[in-house]
Amino acid sequence: MMAQSLKGIGASAGIAIAKAYRLEEPELVVEKCVIDSIEAEVQRFDAALKQSSSELEQIKEHAFKELGEDKAAIFAAHLLVLSDPELINPIKYNIKSEQVNAEFALDEVANMFIGMFEAMDNEYMKERAADIRDVTKRVLAHLLGVTIPNPSMISEEVIIIAADLTPSDTAQLNRHYVKGFTTDIGGRTSHSAIMARSLEIPAVVGTKTVTAEIENGVLVILDGLTGTVIVDPSADMVKEYEAKKATYEAQKAEWAKLVNEPTVSKDGQHVELVANIGTPEDIKGVLENGGEGVGLYRTEFLYMGRTQLPTEEEQFDAYKTVLERMEGKPVVVRTLDIGGDKELPYLDLPKEMNPFLGFRAIRLCLEMQDMFRTQLRALLRASTFGNLKIMFPMIATLGEFRQAKAILLEEKAKLKAEGIAVSETIEIGIMVEIPSTAVMADIFAKEVDFFSIGTNDLIQYTMAADRMNERVSYLYQPYNPAILRLVKMVIDAAHKEGKWAGMCGEMAGDEVAIPILLGLGLDEFSMSASSILQARSQLLNLSKAEMSSIIEQVLNMTTAEEVERLIKEIEVKEVLV
Ligand code: PEP
Ligand code: MG
């Protein structure tokens, strides 16, 4: 086969060269048949149970070692289901009494239990339904002789090939072995892409056809810098990319020299260069990359890749760890932002036609208040361990903000009445990611302590272009004057009220956007930790005054392309001066 090159969206920088590992869910088709020997069929079922259980034991141990106790607990719960006589005995009974094949009996009994548990108005029971579904899939695969992929068991260097990766799939990847991934769907701001950047794994998403083109085991080159995937490369190509990889690593080493430098423009303007994180483990990367704080802690990852809600204690531990490790530097924690491409199967929410426009984030929290209050209590209790700021996601109306803030203050008062210490200096802000809020920023600015502009969503809602859909990814236009004007409105509104404005969408780390944002007066730039040093090196060479002087011209340009051309020309001149 000749080497073949596929084009996608470079979602996480870096180059990887490794064998392909296809991560795909096989189709498990169950047919009903009458069996000859009941005894043989029961034995076949027992054998599948045994195989599944030894596989789960191995996965559990591996997950414990490589991914931590949390992830291992999922598999421990699955092992319990596998040995539960209430599930196993009726299956054997059906094999015997109906003389049917084990696959059919298993499917019938499992579906009965799943339906029963799902119908119960009890979170715990609903979670059991999800466990039964997972476990029966594994046993069924053994009975049918089909292999199901176990990404947490990967133990050699690979590049993952998948139609899509959910954030929880991504959370289970072991970065020791997973050198990169590439998907058919997705865009630069889909959450698997964002996770790839925080794990510092090169990724190319939105290739449309990668699963159709790449077989298991074939050598692949992944270039996350240009969004290229090369299948079955020649020896020369491998050499060429090894050299490219070395150049990129050398460039990174140059940037690394700036790790302890402050971020000050050529004309003396300090801006805060902070990081987006998903888990407390990400703090290591923030510190290694010289982050001056955390501008966005996406707490929903604490809720994902598990079978039930995290307790107040678990959350408290996570928030406290992050605050302590940041040693008094600002940490902006965003309350739960579930929905869109981030699902929590155990909440069992009905499927929606337009999940990005649906019952999500603050909308869901204001309705499921027990869950929201638990998170707020954990945050408030942790607040004395560092410099905490709390922000609410997806605020569309002032009413939502007031309600969320009132709940926060209620929980604070309750804690204080219980004699629990809570910081008195927590700033309370909002994400500006819905156009209505950007337009009303002057009104919001009177009541919030700060804004953090979430351009990933702000752009998708302003341009009406789904951030997950690679067919409309050309409409992800951070330099479109429409977006820049909204950003200006938000920054100006904040400053008029003496508040600060940050940005935590991917645009904050974008090379072309950075000079414009500096010119607009953005106070805080929050990005993947892996982008911080590159952004610092760029900001050190820019003049705030010069950039401010071109803002009017930029905002009156007609297209994103025109803006991009102008900024690139200016930067070339800067380098030559
Ligand atoms: C955003 O929308 O820009 C943002 C930072 O939030 P998320 O990407 O998690 O939706
Ligand atoms: Mg968002």
Side-chain angles (χ1 to χ4, degrees), residues 191 298 334 337 342 360 393-394 431 433 454-458 460-461 467:
H191 283 94
R298 289 185 166 94
R334 176 174 77 184
D337 180 11
K342 293 174 289 194
R360 54 173 299 199
M394 297 290 295
M431 300 266 310
E433 49 189 341
T455 46
N456 305 340
D457 280 319
L458 186 63
Q460 84 161 338
Y461 297 135
R467 65 197 260 190

Side-chain angles (χ1 to χ4, degrees), residues 1 5 17 64 80 86 115 158 197 199 244 312 343 388 416 502 513 524:
M1 192 173 95
S5 175
I17 306 170
F64 185 79
L80 283 179
E86 302 233 16
V158 294
R197 287 195 284 281
L199 292 169
K244 218 173 151 185
E312 183 180 319
E343 286 182 45
L388 172 68
K416 285 173 69 179
E524 180 230 45

Side-chain angles (χ1 to χ4, degrees), residues 361-397:
I362 200 67
R363 306 166 182 187
L364 183 137
C365 285
L366 291 176
E367 188 127 334
M368 301 181 73
Q369 283 199 16
D370 285 350
M371 182 178 79
F372 189 39
R373 285 175 190 270
T374 303
Q375 177 171 40
L376 295 176
R377 283 174 69 87
L379 276 169
L380 289 162
R381 284 174 51 207
S383 65
T384 53
F385 294 91
N387 181 0
L388 172 68
K389 301 171 197 298
I390 297 177
M391 75 177 164
F392 303 120
M394 297 290 295
I395 293 287
T397 69

Side-chain angles (χ1 to χ4, degrees), residues 236-307:
D236 282 349
M237 277 174 170
V238 171
K239 250 200 215 137
E240 180 193 331
Y241 274 88
E242 275 168 352
K244 218 173 151 185
K245 188 170 175 203
T247 310
Y248 178 68
E249 299 296 332
Q251 170 76 80
K252 272 176 63 174
E254 270 308 303
W255 292 328
K257 293 180 185 156
L258 303 174
V259 68
N260 295 316
E261 298 294 317
T263 315
V264 183
S265 68
K266 229 166 45 178
D267 55 344
Q269 174 70 39
H270 176 256
V271 293
E272 269 192 33
L273 207 45
V274 294
N276 294 347
I277 63 164
T279 67
E281 287 89 68
D282 293 343
I283 293 293
K284 187 165 169 274
V286 178
L287 298 172
E288 281 168 4
N289 286 289
E292 296 165 53
V294 170
L296 167 65
Y297 176 3
R298 289 185 166 94
T299 55
E300 48 279 6
F301 291 108
L302 203 62
Y303 291 66
M304 297 189 319
R306 45 186 295 146
T307 55

Side-chain angles (χ1 to χ4, degrees), residues 112 131 174 204 261 338 362 381 404 410 443 460 476 509 523:
M112 189 268 292
D131 286 343
N174 181 340
V204 176
E261 298 294 317
I338 218 63
I362 200 67
R381 284 174 51 207
E410 259 173 48
I443 306 291
Q460 84 161 338
Y476 174 73
D523 303 292

